[in-house]
Amino acid sequence: TMKGMMMGDNLLDTSAGAGSATDAGTESGARRHGRGGGSGRAARQAARATGDTGAPAYITRKIGYFNLLDEEGLDLIERNADTVLEEIGLDFRGDEEVLQMWRDQGCDVQGERVHFPKGLCKKLIQDTAPSLITQHARNPARTVKMGEGNTVLVPAYGPPFVRDLDRGRRYGTIEDFRNFVKLAYMSTGLHHSGGTVCEPVDIPVNKRHLDMVYSHMRWSDKPFMGSVTAPERAQDSVDMCKILFGADFVDQNCVVINLINANSPMVWDDTMLGALKVYARNNQATVISPFILAGAMSPVTVLGTLTQLYAEALAGMALTQVVRPGAPTIFGTFASSISMQSGAPTFGTPEPSLVLYGAAQLARRLGVPFRSGGGFTASKIADAQAAYESANTLQTAALGGVNFMLHTAGWLEGGLSMGYEKFVMDADQAAMLVRLLDGVDMTENGQAMDAIREVGPGMHYLGCNHTQRNFETAFYRSPLADNNSYEQWEAEGSQDMNQRANARWKKMLNDYIPPAIDPAVDEALLDFIKQRKESMPDASY
């Protein structure tokens, strides 16, 4: 189970200047299909085709953070992490170039073990790593910002299995992959297309990254993630971005983000190091994430886990700045606990929430964006356990100050399954988080003094002018929750949440309209994929 969990977070593969041809293609596509305006269904189709949904491209946080630790506690963790880096050291395995980079920085390298001078990693990061990352989408209206109070909500990443009410649990296919890309594209609460939203096992392992990256580029116009399972697959992702956005634009702007996991405890392996170097050299964003199951891959205590993951993350983020100063990087963590009785991962429990709160504070102190999750659950189906555990982790991530919330939607079975029904349920919750983080309206309309004067004592607000002006937007309206009377619920089939979610994802896919793309760009991408696939035999690794 732990091996599957690690693979789920990492190892299963995963703008004005963004090409005027792409922008023109979007506009011409809208005109070609007659989506230039109107009302009703035509207007909704036009909005979907151009990305103009009325929802923000990302969240600009307007509420405070839940701060767990005081300055003394943060100082303690930083001192202990420096001790780990200097006295114990971290292994950088299978990459002599990286070891030489650390020697050049004054590190003590003994075999593959690197001992860092105190304060070196933090200085490298704070000197050049940006505190705010802009990831450009091919549709400029979808471009996102991460860090400095901005939050981006992202689908789950890495599951080899998919599940729905009709067919149950099965291995994912490229059709499933495209379906989840389309669902993410249509979900206003999700700001990002994600990465390996499920593993398409019907395509050879060494070639499927091409189809996955293309699916994000073609069937959505939101930002997306690249492949990290081999350096050459990372390079393919960058090369495809150069076709989509233009090589010069890619060199100067972030257009793809990716997940680089430490092999905890305290090891960086050659696969992750190779992908890190490719993306950093090309000025693309890396999410540097220790993968922690506390009790197995870190100490059982919150402070011990925070110390280790901070040391691991510092070393990884510092390396991106050695490779290319100024390369965008994010302090990430995936931290969960295990059952001390069975060894199985657990989710939605208090201790990982405490780790997240502390890690978020460390990221803000360091001055870099922070990644964590998400809608985690160990449940196999979208049941009450899934709801409780996912709600707990989503709320923790929102209150703690996560800037890049991976695994927001779809996660089941400890990350081994991507659920269709779970995906749209989580997307509903994500849209609620948008409202929560928007805070309190302090404008004249928010004060509602005109309503209070109009209604006065003993009356009601249902018909007053202020209510009439605000009734469509006053409260979040869930597309899935049933708030009707028992009689109406019974007359409509007595459906539970799973059944309503099943109908919703099917309707969304039925209503899906692909975003337009410049045909020449699309053809160039397909040609690139064809040539790369023909250049290598099929492989299962």
Side-chain angles (χ1 to χ4, degrees):
T1 302
M2 290 184 195
K3 183 177 180 182
M5 284 280 301
M6 291 180 67
M7 294 167 74
D9 199 54
N10 174 2
L11 296 181
L12 272 178
D13 200 55
T14 54
S15 170
S20 58
T22 301
D23 300 343
T26 301
E27 294 171 4
S28 63
R31 290 194 297 268
R32 188 164 56 248
H33 294 288
R35 299 172 190 150
S39 59
R41 180 176 173 83
R44 290 192 297 271
Q45 289 177 336
R48 288 200 301 270
T50 62
D52 182 17
T53 63
Y58 56 92
I59 299 172
T60 301
R61 185 187 193 92
K62 298 177 184 174
I63 68 172
Y65 302 100
F66 183 90
N67 289 319
L68 173 71
L69 300 167
D70 58 18
E71 291 301 305
E72 183 179 354
L74 295 172
D75 287 340
L76 176 63
I77 293 169
E78 288 198 357
R79 287 196 304 272
N80 288 347
D82 257 341
T83 299
V84 170
L85 289 167
E86 183 179 41
E87 297 181 11
I88 301 170
L90 272 61
D91 281 1
F92 289 78
R93 296 181 180 172
D95 196 317
E96 179 57 37
E97 181 186 22
V98 168
L99 294 174
Q100 186 57 49
M101 288 178 176
W102 287 131
R103 291 189 193 99
D104 294 342
Q105 293 295 321
C107 296
D108 176 19
V109 179
Q110 301 175 16
E112 294 183 320
R113 180 73 52 87
V114 179
H115 299 265
F116 300 83
K118 193 159 291 185
L120 172 67
C121 291
K122 183 176 181 180
K123 184 177 188 305
L124 286 169
I125 296 163
Q126 291 187 323
D127 281 353
T128 57
S131 60
L132 179 68
I133 298 173
T134 299
Q135 184 185 355
H136 293 268
R138 72 176 179 93
N139 177 355
R142 306 281 201 183
T143 292
V144 299
K145 295 182 185 295
M146 296 164 278
E148 297 184 358
N150 301 300
T151 295
V152 174
L153 305 183
V154 191
Y157 181 111
F161 300 103
V162 298
R163 167 179 286 278
D164 64 62
L165 280 182
D166 305 296
R167 290 173 288 177
R169 182 183 188 263
R170 63 193 188 282
Y171 279 107
T173 66
I174 192 61
E175 179 184 5
D176 291 307
F177 190 97
R178 293 177 188 133
N179 284 345
F180 284 116
V181 168
K182 293 172 183 177
L183 291 173
Y185 168 69
M186 298 181 72
S187 298
T188 57
L190 299 175
H191 312 110
H192 206 276
S193 194
T196 306
V197 289
C198 71
E199 191 74 18
V201 300
D202 52 340
I203 300 174
V205 170
N206 63 325
K207 298 179 179 180
R208 63 182 62 156
H209 66 286
L210 298 163
D211 297 88
M212 291 191 284
V213 173
Y214 174 75
S215 295
H216 286 299
M217 291 178 167
R218 179 63 190 91
W219 307 118
S220 176
D221 60 8
K222 291 183 177 181
F224 56 88
M225 302 177 74
S227 176
V228 296
T229 51
E232 60 270 20
R233 296 171 197 169
Q235 189 61 56
D236 284 340
S237 302
V238 172
D239 290 343
M240 291 174 72
C241 288
K242 290 178 180 178
I243 294 171
L244 185 65
F245 291 92
D248 291 341
F249 189 84
V250 170
D251 184 65
Q252 297 300 314
N253 298 276
C254 174
V255 300
V256 66
I257 193 169
N258 62 93
L259 181 61
I260 305 294
N261 280 145
N263 194 351
S264 302
M266 295 175 286
V267 172
W268 285 99
D269 62 53
D270 58 338
T271 299
M272 292 291 95
L273 294 173
L276 180 154
K277 289 188 293 183
V278 168
Y279 286 113
R281 281 179 174 139
N282 285 278
N283 199 30
Q284 301 308 303
T286 50
V287 181
I288 306 299
S289 283
F291 183 96
I292 300 291
L293 295 179
M297 300 155 74
S298 76
V300 296
T301 62
V302 170
L303 278 179
T305 294
L306 280 168
T307 296
Q308 180 189 304
L309 73 84
Y310 191 49
E312 293 172 348
L314 282 172
M317 289 185 286
L319 180 58
T320 67
Q321 301 310 296
V322 173
V323 173
R324 179 167 173 168
T329 189
I330 292 176
F331 175 5
T333 179
F334 179 99
S336 186
S337 55
I338 62 170
S339 166
M340 300 308 291
Q341 287 70 44
S342 69
T346 57
F347 298 95
T349 52
E351 295 81 10
S353 292
L354 297 175
V355 171
L356 187 152
Y357 288 136
Q361 285 184 262
L362 291 167
R364 288 193 289 276
R365 199 184 214 206
L366 188 62
V368 294
F370 179 59
R371 169 260 159 156
S372 195
F376 298 139
T377 180
S379 182
K380 316 307 177 282
I381 60 174
D383 59 2
Q385 179 186 342
Y388 290 136
E389 292 176 348
S390 296
N392 283 345
T393 53
L394 284 169
Q395 291 287 341
T396 294
L399 295 176
V402 169
N403 303 114
F404 186 80
M405 195 187 297
L406 194 59
H407 307 310
T408 298
W411 174 287
L412 282 172
E413 199 183 335
L416 292 177
S417 288
M418 187 74 154
Y420 277 84
E421 289 79 25
K422 179 69 158 43
F423 188 95
V424 294
M425 293 180 196
D426 289 339
D428 183 21
Q429 295 298 306
M432 293 189 200
L433 292 184
V434 174
R435 283 294 190 96
L436 174 68
L437 296 178
D438 195 43
V440 178
D441 178 9
M442 303 298 290
T443 66
E444 184 176 343
N445 182 69
Q447 295 173 53
M449 290 302 295
D450 57 331
I452 297 171
R453 287 190 178 96
E454 179 183 343
V455 173
M459 304 300 289
H460 66 74
Y461 287 84
L462 292 176
C464 79
N465 290 327
H466 184 271
T467 301
Q468 294 298 310
R469 292 197 310 270
N470 289 278
F471 83 95
E472 288 188 339
T473 58
F475 307 116
Y476 178 79
R477 296 183 181 182
S478 169
L480 288 174
D482 183 282
N483 302 303
N484 297 318
S485 67
Y486 177 85
E487 291 76 17
Q488 185 172 348
W489 170 76
E490 190 174 42
E492 292 175 353
S494 307
Q495 290 191 335
D496 63 17
M497 176 67 87
N498 254 316
Q499 292 169 314
R500 295 193 295 272
N502 180 266
R504 178 163 175 78
W505 70 256
K506 290 176 180 176
K507 183 179 187 306
M508 290 174 70
L509 291 180
N510 183 66
D511 291 346
Y512 168 81
I513 297 172
I517 191 171
D518 183 347
V521 171
D522 192 33
E523 183 178 356
L525 287 168
L526 293 172
D527 286 344
F528 176 85
I529 292 170
K530 181 174 183 292
Q531 291 174 21
R532 288 292 293 131
K533 286 187 174 182
E534 290 175 348
S535 71
M536 51 186 159
D538 292 353
S540 58
Y541 56 91

